[in-house]
Structures are given as structure tokens and as C-alpha cells.
Amino acid sequence: MNPTLPAALALLSMLLPWSASARTVYRCVRDNTVSLATAPEPGSKCTPQQIDDSAVQTPNLWGNMGIFSGTLYEREQDGALVYSTRNLPGSRVFLKFTVATPPGEPAHEGLGKVGTPQLNRHAKQFKAAAKATGVDDAWLRAIAHAESGFDAGAISPKGAQGVMQLMPDTATEWGVADPLSAEQSINGGARYMKALLKRYKGDRTLAAAAYNAGIGAVTRYKGVPPYAETLAYVEKVSALYQRYREAMGFKVETPAR
């Protein structure tokens, strides 16, 4: 038997005691290796993760690991049968499985490339949007640079449009009638970013992750989603933000040594 990720997790959760509408799976880490278990594993650092029985999508408890195969083991622990994907002493093979961690939802790496800051691109519009919303001008430019490379006519394969690459529903929500208008896109994107920064108490990393993958994904994973696209996007925006801050004459923070 070789189920895929949803089937394997579903089976794992079915082996747990039923509790209202959710079950607990433990994500256990030891020596930089990850396993899932129905009880905390001896010798591992384990974090409980709730699996909602009514969830539309099975959560990714592994992280960004691509496609790999593994084994679910059965063993006795404290007088009860427990199941784990780590081969601990006394374990016996229960089933084989294949995991494909998710590539993303609306997540994307962005159309823009990390490069030299482009301070002349829509400068008036960014300055006005920053003043109106209170969102850092350099941060808005970093988002636009990563999203579209400042191309007002950019349309992504997933349907995002304009300088700030707003999805149609998001554009409508934030009052953008013409998503291919640089001014409207920047203003709408700035208002949306202001709301995200307020939601995440000024945490730019979470705001960027939500801008990329959606608020729901950040909520589901309680942080930056483990999508390859989102991880690359957040890293790109962070690097660009530092470059824009420096190019605009602000002091740039560096790690202490």
C-alpha cells in the first residue's frame, strides 16, 4: 500500500482518538529530521498540530520538502499503540507512503527579479501612496519590484494584474477599477498592505507572505506557509527592501557580529 500525502495523513489522523471535530498529530524534529506521530516521540522535540475533521484541505505538516517516500511505523508506547513515520526501537512497518508537499495556492515567486533599485519608476505615485497610507515607501517599491518589475501591464499566469499584481477580487475589494492603471494599482496595493501590516502588528515578513499566498494560508500554517514560491518571494522582497532603503538614503540594519 502506497498512499499519497492526503491519504497518509488522513489514515494517521484516523488512528487518533476522536475529539469533537479535531485530532492532534505531533510534528517531531530530531537532528534536523522531521516525523509525524500520534504521540510525542522520545528524544524528539514535538509540537502538537490540530487537524480539523471538516478542513477542506489537509494541512502540510512536513514543510517544504518536495516529493519523497516514507514509512508509517506502529509500536507500543506507555501501554498503547502509537504510529510514527520515524523508525524507533520496537517499531514494525504499518504502511508505505509518498508525500508531495504543496507547491502553493495563489502563491508565486513574482515576475520581478532582484536587482538594482529603480527609483524613477512611478516615483510620484509611490510617494503619494506612502504618504496617504503610512506604509514605508521603500517597502511598497520592494513589493512592486518583486511582483511586476514595475510593469503596469503585467499579468501573471495566476491572474494577478498590474504594478502591484493584485488578484481581481483583491483589486475590487480595495477600490481598484482599472488594475492596469499604475496609480490605481499602487494605491490599492498600498491600502491592502496597510491592512496586512495592521493585522500582523507591523511584521513585514508575515505581511509579505499573506500578500503572496493569502491570509488564509498564513493562518493555516501559523506563519509563513512552507510553499517554495512564498519562501522565495519573502526572501526576494526582504532583500529588495534593504536595497531600496539604502538607495533612498536610510540606514540599513545588519546582523551583529
Side-chain angles (χ1 to χ4, degrees):
M1 185 176 184
N2 190 18
T4 59
L5 173 63
L9 272 182
L11 179 57
L12 187 63
S13 66
M14 287 172 62
L15 298 171
L16 296 164
W18 185 82
S19 175
S21 61
R23 306 166 196 265
T24 301
V25 170
Y26 291 85
R27 186 180 192 275
C28 299
V29 180
R30 180 196 301 186
D31 298 327
N32 293 320
T33 62
V34 178
S35 61
L36 302 183
T38 60
E41 293 178 352
S44 298
K45 182 178 180 180
C46 298
T47 304
Q49 303 284 343
Q50 294 293 317
I51 295 182
D52 189 343
D53 287 346
S54 61
V56 174
Q57 179 176 339
T58 304
N60 171 26
L61 303 184
W62 293 99
N64 182 36
M65 297 182 183
I67 299 175
F68 63 94
S69 296
T71 303
L72 182 64
Y73 297 94
E74 179 185 66
R75 72 178 192 284
E76 291 186 7
Q77 179 175 309
D78 299 326
L81 280 178
V82 298
Y83 298 84
S84 170
T85 60
R86 189 185 305 277
N87 188 6
L88 295 174
S91 296
R92 49 190 173 271
V93 174
F94 187 76
L95 62 80
K96 303 284 186 178
F97 64 88
T98 296
V99 171
T101 58
E105 294 180 339
H108 59 96
E109 291 186 26
L111 304 177
K113 305 298 182 183
V114 176
T116 304
Q118 302 176 46
L119 298 180
N120 63 328
R121 303 294 298 274
H122 313 298
K124 181 179 178 180
Q125 289 84 351
F126 280 111
K127 184 176 180 179
K131 183 177 180 180
T133 61
V135 179
D136 189 342
D137 190 343
W139 181 246
L140 293 177
R141 291 174 191 253
I143 294 290
H145 188 137
E147 286 286 348
S148 69
F150 300 101
D151 182 359
I155 300 177
S156 80
K158 296 191 177 182
Q161 298 174 300
V163 173
M164 303 300 282
Q165 286 291 279
L166 299 174
M167 295 295 286
D169 288 347
T170 304
T172 299
E173 180 181 358
W174 294 99
V176 178
D178 180 4
L180 300 184
S181 160
E183 182 176 8
Q184 289 191 39
S185 181
I186 292 168
N187 287 338
R191 290 193 295 271
Y192 180 39
M193 180 54 68
K194 178 182 180 179
L196 291 175
L197 288 169
K198 181 178 180 180
R199 183 184 188 94
Y200 299 115
K201 298 179 171 55
D203 188 323
R204 289 191 181 87
T205 297
L206 291 181
Y211 195 98
N212 177 263
I215 292 171
V218 173
T219 300
R220 185 183 312 131
Y221 293 107
K222 300 178 181 179
V224 178
Y227 307 149
E229 298 95 331
T230 303
L231 295 172
Y233 177 86
V234 169
E235 183 177 355
K236 180 191 295 186
V237 170
S238 298
L240 285 166
Y241 178 56
Q242 294 300 320
R243 294 189 184 191
Y244 275 95
R245 291 277 294 178
E246 186 173 11
M248 297 171 73
F250 295 99
K251 291 183 178 179
V252 178
E253 295 179 348
T254 58
R257 297 183 183 280

